[in-house]
Amino acid sequence: MNIRGSQHRPLQNTLPFIIVLLFCTISGCRKPAPAPVTVTFLDAEWLYPDELPRAEREFREFTRETGIAIEHPPIPETLFSSLDPMPQLNLLRRVLQEGGPGPDVLNIDVIWPGILEDDLIDLRPYFATELSSQDPQLVSSYTVHGKVVAVPYHTHVGVLAYRTDLLREYGYRHPPETWDELENMAARIQAGERAKGRKDFWGYVWQGAATEGLMCNALEWQVAEGGGRIIEDDETISVNNPAAIRAWRRPASWIGRISPPAVLAYRETDSLNVWNTGNAAFMRSWGWGYRLTHPLESPVRERTGYTSMPGGRGGRVGTLGGYGLAVSRSSAHPREAVALIRFLIARELRSKADLSHPKPAVEPQLYDLPQILQAYAPSHQLSQQNSRLVSRPSNVGGHVYEDVTRAYIQAVHSVLTGERSAPIAAAALEKQLVAITGFKTGPPKTRE
């Protein structure tokens, strides 16, 4: 018996060890699994309240699919009341210059690539296929010295909002295609509405405050007249020319005639407030597909149409705006950051496809949109003529673009207020831009 007992003793000593080993395996005695990666996304578009629900849904779906969490730092409340991109840029630069790991993904304004180039990685190797399907001019707006610093995400284009009911009432079959037509239509409709007792009604409202919004308006006037792009791509300063001077004089004649005197202080929200009260026939606005800045709850939404900006000798022109997705050079998780951008871009392309057949009862009337927006518009609402895009000289201006745009805005605003004549303002601006950039002067480039 002793012999048999001694034969079973090793098994009896081994069983507890096996049980403990199994317990450790099941309960986690081994090293814990690594925590999920968290990508920080700094998004300037969260300034727009209607962006929040859609963005939050997309982030939750991305986390479910990939296991990558997203941290979304809040934007300071002081920036919520402004659509001016420059205060947002200052915030972003402070964040990027703090040192250490910065935000991983950035949603940057189309005018920031030249300023932020040193802080962003080149995305061309990661998104060759996606970029090849984008509008070349749009991609070039996010390209600096051959480096694609952001992938186009939400593209905005300058468009003209018009009252469809008033155009019909006053016998117009389509919205204005030239600035001369807009002036005539606006004056006639304004006179007719005021004759009905609507003393606060105006023909045309736009953004005349000395901010980036005026830069966008003035660039459309100037390029449409054949006055050049302020600074051409070959680093030629082209702003001091007869066509640019004519372009500045025209809107100065609108003040108090078809545009309210207060338009010289209007930002986007101010012109939109006038529009939503029904007190304007036309308004300069922004278009991003059907997601225009015109709010869904507007009382005039069902009486609103959108078309390309009017044109002149140089054709019809809409300023390019919007945002692109970039990856910070200081990102601790660049691979996951690229994955998030790829996910968001794919979702955006699917959304565009879904909107290719909109419901006419819900969406505004569209006519003769810029080419980049035509995928969203029913073909029967489009005429054969289309406007082209123009980008602000932010990439060629690079790190001094803020000084360039500030000088240009001040020059144009001084003409609108009557402080200086257009020829004097243009000559003074040319000298300023030479001093700021070191570039030479030359004539505007002709349209290709």
Side-chain angles (χ1 to χ4, degrees):
M1 292 181 62
N2 290 337
I3 295 174
R4 286 197 296 269
S6 63
Q7 290 175 339
H8 289 283
R9 192 172 294 114
L11 182 60
Q12 292 172 351
N13 294 337
T14 304
L15 283 175
F17 172 77
I18 295 175
I19 293 172
V20 171
L21 179 62
L22 290 173
F23 176 78
C24 287
T25 301
I26 296 171
S27 63
C29 289
R30 61 187 177 182
K31 291 183 179 180
V37 170
T38 297
V39 171
T40 303
F41 184 20
L42 198 59
D43 185 1
E45 285 190 284
W46 273 46
L47 289 170
Y48 303 97
D50 66 334
E51 290 291 332
L52 297 176
R54 189 177 73 97
E56 289 173 340
R57 288 194 301 270
E58 289 181 344
F59 292 164
R60 288 194 297 269
E61 181 178 340
F62 175 74
T63 299
R64 283 196 302 268
E65 290 184 6
T66 65
I68 302 171
I70 299 176
E71 181 180 354
H72 205 288
I75 299 293
E77 291 186 7
T78 54
L79 296 181
F80 271 81
S81 60
S82 173
L83 297 182
D84 190 343
M86 290 311 177
Q88 303 168 33
L89 173 61
N90 293 335
L91 168 67
L92 182 56
R93 278 195 297 208
R94 287 198 302 271
V95 171
L96 292 174
Q97 294 170 3
E98 286 178 351
D104 300 291
V105 177
L106 310 170
N107 200 14
I108 67 171
D109 194 285
V110 70
I111 61 175
W112 296 348
I115 300 172
L116 299 176
E117 175 196 4
D118 295 339
D119 299 306
L120 307 174
I121 70 171
D122 185 5
L123 293 177
R124 189 186 297 275
Y126 304 98
F127 294 97
T129 302
E130 291 86 349
L131 293 172
S132 65
S133 65
Q134 295 274 8
D135 184 287
Q137 185 172 351
L138 179 58
V139 175
S140 70
S141 298
Y142 293 99
T143 305
V144 185
H145 302 134
K147 172 183 171 183
V148 178
V149 298
V151 179
Y153 183 40
H154 291 158
T155 301
H156 298 183
V157 182
V159 294
L160 182 73
Y162 61 94
R163 284 283 298 276
T164 56
D165 57 331
L166 294 180
L167 260 63
R168 286 193 298 269
E169 180 179 342
Y170 288 88
Y172 297 114
R173 299 182 62 182
H174 57 78
E177 296 181 354
T178 67
W179 286 112
D180 287 340
E181 289 181 353
L182 181 137
E183 289 180 358
N184 293 333
M185 289 184 185
R188 181 163 174 254
I189 295 173
Q190 177 179 302
E193 293 303 294
R194 290 191 175 187
K196 300 176 184 177
R198 303 182 63 187
K199 301 302 181 184
D200 294 329
F201 189 92
W202 291 95
Y204 182 43
V205 292
W206 39 283
Q207 301 77 44
T211 66
E212 191 69 20
L214 178 57
M215 160 66 96
C216 298
N217 280 261
L219 187 61
E220 289 164 351
W221 306 330
Q222 184 171 310
V223 176
E225 190 63 27
R229 197 168 144 253
I230 308 169
I231 304 176
E232 308 296 334
D233 286 334
D234 64 357
E235 299 185 348
T236 298
I237 296 172
S238 61
V239 71
N240 186 15
N241 63 80
I245 290 169
R246 286 195 305 271
W248 294 2
R249 282 173 168 164
R250 181 192 290 272
S253 71
W254 298 340
I255 310 300
R257 185 167 64 91
I258 60 173
S259 298
V263 78
L264 295 175
Y266 278 11
R267 298 170 183 251
E268 280 82 356
T269 51
D270 301 307
S271 56
L272 193 58
N273 287 338
V274 175
W275 183 260
N276 287 335
T277 62
N279 282 330
F282 302 100
M283 175 186 67
R284 197 273 182 192
S285 184
W286 288 101
W288 165 38
Y290 278 118
R291 302 193 68 259
L292 297 148
T293 52
H294 196 50
L296 292 172
E297 66 275 12
S298 170
V300 296
R301 180 170 178 81
E302 294 182 358
R303 293 171 283 165
T304 296
Y306 292 92
T307 186
S308 297
M309 293 302 297
R313 303 179 185 186
R316 303 181 71 175
V317 178
T319 300
L320 179 63
Y323 295 85
L325 298 174
V327 176
S328 169
R329 187 178 294 280
S330 62
S331 169
H333 308 290
R335 184 176 63 179
E336 290 80 6
V338 167
L340 174 58
I341 292 178
R342 180 165 284 111
F343 171 85
L344 294 175
I345 294 298
R347 284 295 301 267
E348 182 65 14
L349 292 175
R350 287 200 298 272
S351 297
K352 183 176 180 179
D354 292 342
L355 286 172
S356 60
H357 301 288
K359 298 177 181 179
V362 176
E363 304 300 346
Q365 294 187 32
L366 306 175
Y367 182 89
D368 197 11
L369 284 174
Q371 185 68 36
I372 200 167
L373 297 181
Q374 286 195 21
Y376 299 91
S379 59
H380 69 274
Q381 290 182 327
L382 300 175
S383 69
Q384 296 301 312
Q385 182 183 8
N386 298 294
S387 73
R388 60 193 174 105
L389 302 180
V390 62
S391 56
R392 286 160 279 179
S394 54
N395 284 357
V396 67
H399 293 284
V400 298
Y401 175 71
E402 288 175 277
D403 297 325
V404 169
T405 188
R406 188 179 300 112
Y408 181 78
I409 290 167
Q410 290 173 349
V412 174
H413 200 260
S414 71
V415 174
L416 298 178
T417 60
E419 179 184 346
R420 288 187 292 179
S421 68
I424 291 176
L429 175 61
E430 182 181 62
K431 293 180 180 178
Q432 279 184 280
L433 295 182
V434 169
I436 291 170
T437 64
F439 299 158
K440 295 181 180 180
T441 62
K445 302 302 178 186
T446 57
R447 180 177 179 177
E448 296 181 358

